[in-house]
Amino acid sequence: MGKGTLFYEPAEKGLPPESVWSTERYLSTVPSLFARLRKEFGPDHHFLHDVHHRLTPIEAGRLGKALDLNTGFETSRLLSSTVAPAGRSVSLARADQFFDDLLNRLKVNPAFSAVATSTFSSSMGTQGAIVINGERRQFPSEVAFTSVDLEYFPTIGLAPVEGRAFAREDAATAPRVAVVSESFGRLIGKGETPLGRQITMPFNRIGQPADVVSVVGVVPDLVADVNVLQAL
């Protein structure tokens, strides 16, 4: 503890002054800060950051893991947002028109070099099971299923490390296919390639059986949100 005015916050007389603080915002901002530093000064410099004392040990560990992820991948150029029409009474046709108009406006905006969409479909927690090649399997973290368009992987900058990405031939009437992250691919492959593995979706349309999708590609792990450390 310092002397005089060199005290260490909040070791000061009386009640400490109130200040606005958001741990979640801090955890989201610092990885972007380091990404910008690496972009400006290159990968050869070592940066030191004094983690804020308001973080719990678990939160500090989360931040450390996030800073150690996506090495060599420039995430600061990506902008993502969640968009949904307001109100529960919006019809499906009106929602489709809304998103079509939004995409068209974004694609002609010179501020964006590329635009892509994704839609959260479902997920399975650690207590549930997912059927892989007819075998019920449990996984150590939540498994999320996300629908993406053809431009998604090129826009993010993820090229397949095995197999292929989605193609125009993968239409609604074609056999269902999936692209998985390297981490999930290792889990379902059990030491072998995950390509060709059959995943039974943990959800289904009313009156129809659950879709069975075949893994056709594997992309590198990419964590885009420090609060969700599972890779995309």
Side-chain angles (χ1 to χ4, degrees):
M1 182 179 295
K3 296 181 179 179
T5 59
L6 301 177
F7 50 78
Y8 179 74
E9 183 193 356
E12 54 188 281
K13 294 182 179 180
L15 295 175
E18 293 185 7
S19 58
V20 178
W21 171 258
S22 170
T23 296
E24 296 304 318
R25 180 169 293 183
Y26 174 80
L27 291 175
S28 299
T29 300
V30 173
S32 299
L33 170 65
F34 272 75
R36 178 63 182 272
L37 289 172
R38 294 190 184 100
K39 179 179 179 181
E40 293 292 331
F41 300 103
D44 298 328
H45 296 278
H46 297 282
F47 301 108
L48 177 66
H49 176 66
D50 184 10
V51 176
H52 205 287
H53 65 269
R54 285 190 174 96
L55 265 60
T56 65
I58 292 178
E59 290 169 341
R62 247 167 63 192
L63 178 61
K65 290 181 180 179
L67 290 173
D68 194 42
L69 293 170
N70 304 331
T71 303
F73 193 91
E74 181 54 64
T75 56
S76 62
R77 67 180 180 84
L78 301 176
L79 173 65
S80 63
S81 180
T82 301
V83 181
R88 297 183 178 180
S89 60
V90 177
S91 66
L92 183 59
R94 188 175 179 183
D96 287 342
Q97 185 62 51
F98 168 81
F99 285 111
D100 287 342
D101 293 343
L102 176 61
L103 279 176
N104 290 333
R105 294 176 63 180
L106 291 175
K107 289 179 178 179
V108 299
N109 190 323
F112 303 107
S113 60
V115 178
T117 62
S118 65
T119 304
F120 173 76
S121 296
S122 181
S123 66
M124 178 59 68
T126 56
Q127 302 301 313
I130 299 175
V131 177
I132 310 292
N133 281 10
E135 176 189 359
R136 290 177 61 83
R137 300 269 305 276
Q138 287 186 301
F139 295 92
S141 62
E142 181 179 357
V143 177
F145 297 90
T146 304
S147 302
V148 302
D149 63 17
L150 287 176
E151 306 302 324
Y152 185 79
F153 290 122
T155 298
I156 288 183
L158 287 181
V161 296
E162 191 175 359
R164 65 175 178 85
F166 295 116
R168 295 194 180 280
E169 290 73 23
D170 300 320
T173 56
R176 302 296 190 192
V177 295
V179 175
V180 300
S181 67
E182 284 187 286
S183 292
F184 189 62
R186 285 192 294 269
L187 288 174
I188 66 175
K190 294 183 176 181
E192 300 178 355
T193 177
L195 298 182
R197 301 279 174 168
Q198 303 289 312
I199 304 174
T200 302
M201 293 289 98
F203 57 89
N204 62 285
R205 302 176 184 85
I206 298 176
Q208 299 185 24
D211 288 331
V212 178
V213 302
S214 178
V215 177
V216 296
V218 181
V219 293
D221 291 343
L222 174 66
V223 174
D225 186 347
V226 67
N227 299 306
V228 183
L229 289 181
Q230 287 87 352
L232 290 177

